[in-house]
Amino acid sequence: MSDRKFRAVTWVQRRINPLLRLLPVQTLLETTGRRSGQPRRTPIGGRRRGDTFWLVSEHGERSQYVRNIQADPRVRVRLRGRWHPGTAHLVPGDDPVARLRGLPRLNSTAVRVLGTDLLTIRVDLDG
């Protein structure tokens, strides 16, 4: 069921994410494509705490943006229309379900329901 769920969720996301990227209030994570070297922007949910931004990936290391982070951890996060450079870190030892309790409720619910392999990601923002 997990593989079927993964395929269904990614099918929907491929159609919705281009629209979400156009919304000026949508939080985005920009990674560098591991093959193309081009910027890749993914709509995400998460929360900034000081100079750190926390999010949880629905599909863990199967997510394309997570694979991009593994190849190059330098990222940018768009918060309230403003870009912030930073360095992303996968945090497999963190409890992603507990982490989601401190993140925006609507996105956290969607991640828990649709996710197949939750993984916490911490972005240390530069200044």
Side-chain angles (χ1 to χ4, degrees):
M1 178 63 177
S2 178
D3 196 46
R4 184 182 303 172
K5 184 178 182 180
F6 171 77
R7 286 193 313 268
V9 170
T10 54
W11 185 87
V12 170
Q13 287 175 334
R14 283 190 185 117
R15 280 137 186 89
I16 292 174
N17 284 354
L19 300 174
L20 292 176
R21 282 192 289 267
L22 298 174
L23 298 174
V25 296
Q26 176 65 50
T27 301
L28 297 177
L29 176 69
E30 183 181 83
T31 60
T32 301
R34 63 194 177 283
R35 293 185 188 144
S36 69
Q38 298 298 310
R40 301 293 180 213
R41 293 180 177 174
T42 304
I44 58 168
R47 177 161 285 145
R48 182 177 184 166
R49 290 214 164 84
D51 287 337
T52 305
F53 184 83
W54 292 92
L55 68 140
V56 175
S57 168
E58 292 169 325
H59 304 299
E61 293 185 15
R62 291 177 80 179
S63 295
Q64 297 302 315
Y65 71 89
V66 172
R67 291 177 179 183
N68 290 342
I69 288 169
Q70 289 173 317
D72 182 355
R74 293 171 298 155
V75 300
R76 292 194 316 156
V77 180
R78 187 178 78 179
L79 300 167
R80 297 186 182 112
R82 187 165 166 245
W83 287 101
H84 303 270
T87 305
H89 305 275
L90 308 183
V91 190
D94 191 63
D95 180 352
V97 174
R99 179 69 57 193
L100 286 169
R101 288 188 203 110
L103 300 180
R105 187 175 303 169
L106 181 61
N107 182 74
S108 294
T109 300
V111 169
R112 273 194 299 273
V113 170
L114 301 174
T116 57
D117 185 21
L118 306 182
L119 174 65
T120 301
I121 299 171
R122 181 188 82 234
V123 179
D124 297 329
L125 302 172
D126 302 337

